[in-house]
mmCIF file of all heavy atoms in Angstrom:
data_model
loop_
_atom_site.group_PDB
_atom_site.id
_atom_site.type_symbol
_atom_site.label_atom_id
_atom_site.label_comp_id
_atom_site.label_asym_id
_atom_site.label_seq_id
_atom_site.Cartn_x
_atom_site.Cartn_y
_atom_site.Cartn_z
ATOM 1 N N ILE B 180 -3.262 26.055 -11.290
ATOM 2 C CA ILE B 180 -1.897 25.958 -11.815
ATOM 3 C C ILE B 180 -1.736 24.673 -12.621
ATOM 4 O O ILE B 180 -1.193 24.666 -13.727
ATOM 5 C CB ILE B 180 -0.874 25.983 -10.659
ATOM 6 C CG1 ILE B 180 -0.833 27.373 -10.033
ATOM 7 C CG2 ILE B 180 0.501 25.573 -11.153
ATOM 8 C CD1 ILE B 180 -0.032 27.437 -8.744
ATOM 9 N N LYS B 181 -2.234 23.597 -12.056
ATOM 10 C CA LYS B 181 -2.028 22.297 -12.697
ATOM 11 C C LYS B 181 -2.753 22.184 -14.029
ATOM 12 O O LYS B 181 -2.356 21.428 -14.907
ATOM 13 C CB LYS B 181 -2.439 21.179 -11.750
ATOM 14 C CG LYS B 181 -1.373 20.968 -10.692
ATOM 15 C CD LYS B 181 -1.861 20.203 -9.514
ATOM 16 C CE LYS B 181 -0.786 20.192 -8.436
ATOM 17 N NZ LYS B 181 -1.299 19.676 -7.171
ATOM 18 N N ARG B 182 -3.835 22.943 -14.156
ATOM 19 C CA ARG B 182 -4.543 22.934 -15.427
ATOM 20 C C ARG B 182 -3.617 23.381 -16.559
ATOM 21 O O ARG B 182 -3.755 22.961 -17.680
ATOM 22 C CB ARG B 182 -5.759 23.858 -15.317
ATOM 23 C CG ARG B 182 -6.830 23.580 -16.324
ATOM 24 C CD ARG B 182 -8.154 24.169 -15.898
ATOM 25 N NE ARG B 182 -8.751 23.421 -14.807
ATOM 26 C CZ ARG B 182 -9.308 23.982 -13.726
ATOM 27 N NH1 ARG B 182 -9.311 25.296 -13.602
ATOM 28 N NH2 ARG B 182 -9.832 23.231 -12.790
ATOM 29 N N ARG B 183 -2.649 24.234 -16.222
ATOM 30 C CA ARG B 183 -1.795 24.809 -17.271
ATOM 31 C C ARG B 183 -0.382 24.242 -17.237
ATOM 32 O O ARG B 183 0.519 24.775 -17.867
ATOM 33 C CB ARG B 183 -1.744 26.328 -17.076
ATOM 34 C CG ARG B 183 -3.136 26.951 -17.114
ATOM 35 C CD ARG B 183 -3.190 28.304 -16.428
ATOM 36 N NE ARG B 183 -2.361 29.305 -17.102
ATOM 37 C CZ ARG B 183 -2.249 30.567 -16.686
ATOM 38 N NH1 ARG B 183 -2.909 30.967 -15.607
ATOM 39 N NH2 ARG B 183 -1.480 31.412 -17.333
ATOM 40 N N THR B 184 -0.212 23.171 -16.461
ATOM 41 C CA THR B 184 1.131 22.651 -16.249
ATOM 42 C C THR B 184 1.212 21.173 -16.606
ATOM 43 O O THR B 184 0.255 20.432 -16.422
ATOM 44 C CB THR B 184 1.497 22.809 -14.753
ATOM 45 O OG1 THR B 184 1.270 24.152 -14.376
ATOM 46 C CG2 THR B 184 2.945 22.450 -14.494
ATOM 47 N N GLY B 185 2.358 20.763 -17.117
ATOM 48 C CA GLY B 185 2.611 19.336 -17.306
ATOM 49 C C GLY B 185 3.756 18.933 -16.396
ATOM 50 O O GLY B 185 4.708 19.689 -16.233
ATOM 51 N N TYR B 186 3.644 17.750 -15.801
ATOM 52 C CA TYR B 186 4.638 17.363 -14.790
ATOM 53 C C TYR B 186 5.148 15.954 -15.050
ATOM 54 O O TYR B 186 4.391 15.051 -15.379
ATOM 55 C CB TYR B 186 4.003 17.434 -13.403
ATOM 56 C CG TYR B 186 4.809 16.810 -12.280
ATOM 57 C CD1 TYR B 186 6.105 17.252 -11.998
ATOM 58 C CD2 TYR B 186 4.275 15.779 -11.505
ATOM 59 C CE1 TYR B 186 6.837 16.683 -10.963
ATOM 60 C CE2 TYR B 186 5.009 15.215 -10.456
ATOM 61 C CZ TYR B 186 6.281 15.666 -10.197
ATOM 62 O OH TYR B 186 7.004 15.100 -9.174
ATOM 63 N N LEU B 187 6.444 15.789 -14.896
ATOM 64 C CA LEU B 187 7.033 14.452 -14.926
ATOM 65 C C LEU B 187 7.750 14.233 -13.601
ATOM 66 O O LEU B 187 8.717 14.927 -13.292
ATOM 67 C CB LEU B 187 8.039 14.336 -16.075
ATOM 68 C CG LEU B 187 8.762 12.992 -16.122
ATOM 69 C CD1 LEU B 187 7.859 11.918 -16.674
ATOM 70 C CD2 LEU B 187 10.032 13.090 -16.927
ATOM 71 N N PRO B 188 7.279 13.260 -12.801
ATOM 72 C CA PRO B 188 7.932 13.026 -11.509
ATOM 73 C C PRO B 188 9.333 12.448 -11.688
ATOM 74 O O PRO B 188 9.606 11.759 -12.665
ATOM 75 C CB PRO B 188 7.026 11.986 -10.829
ATOM 76 C CG PRO B 188 5.839 11.821 -11.684
ATOM 77 C CD PRO B 188 6.164 12.353 -13.037
ATOM 78 N N GLY B 189 10.188 12.732 -10.720
ATOM 79 C CA GLY B 189 11.531 12.173 -10.760
ATOM 80 C C GLY B 189 11.511 10.701 -10.425
ATOM 81 O O GLY B 189 12.253 9.902 -10.983
ATOM 82 N N ASP B 190 10.626 10.366 -9.514
ATOM 83 C CA ASP B 190 10.497 8.981 -9.085
ATOM 84 C C ASP B 190 9.224 8.453 -9.705
ATOM 85 O O ASP B 190 8.182 8.416 -9.090
ATOM 86 C CB ASP B 190 10.397 8.980 -7.550
ATOM 87 C CG ASP B 190 10.989 7.724 -6.977
ATOM 88 O OD1 ASP B 190 11.302 6.816 -7.765
ATOM 89 O OD2 ASP B 190 11.132 7.649 -5.749
ATOM 90 N N LEU B 191 9.322 8.077 -10.956
ATOM 91 C CA LEU B 191 8.108 7.809 -11.732
ATOM 92 C C LEU B 191 7.411 6.535 -11.285
ATOM 93 O O LEU B 191 8.027 5.485 -11.194
ATOM 94 C CB LEU B 191 8.481 7.695 -13.209
ATOM 95 C CG LEU B 191 7.327 7.549 -14.178
ATOM 96 C CD1 LEU B 191 6.454 8.780 -14.168
ATOM 97 C CD2 LEU B 191 7.848 7.298 -15.582
ATOM 98 N N ALA B 192 6.139 6.630 -10.979
ATOM 99 C CA ALA B 192 5.347 5.438 -10.672
ATOM 100 C C ALA B 192 4.056 5.532 -11.462
ATOM 101 O O ALA B 192 3.411 6.576 -11.486
ATOM 102 C CB ALA B 192 5.048 5.369 -9.176
#
Side-chain angles (χ1 to χ4, degrees):
Chain B
I180 290 170
K181 283 163 187 169
R182 201 161 287 135
R183 302 158 64 180
T184 308
Y186 169 58
L187 177 76
D190 211 351
L191 186 64

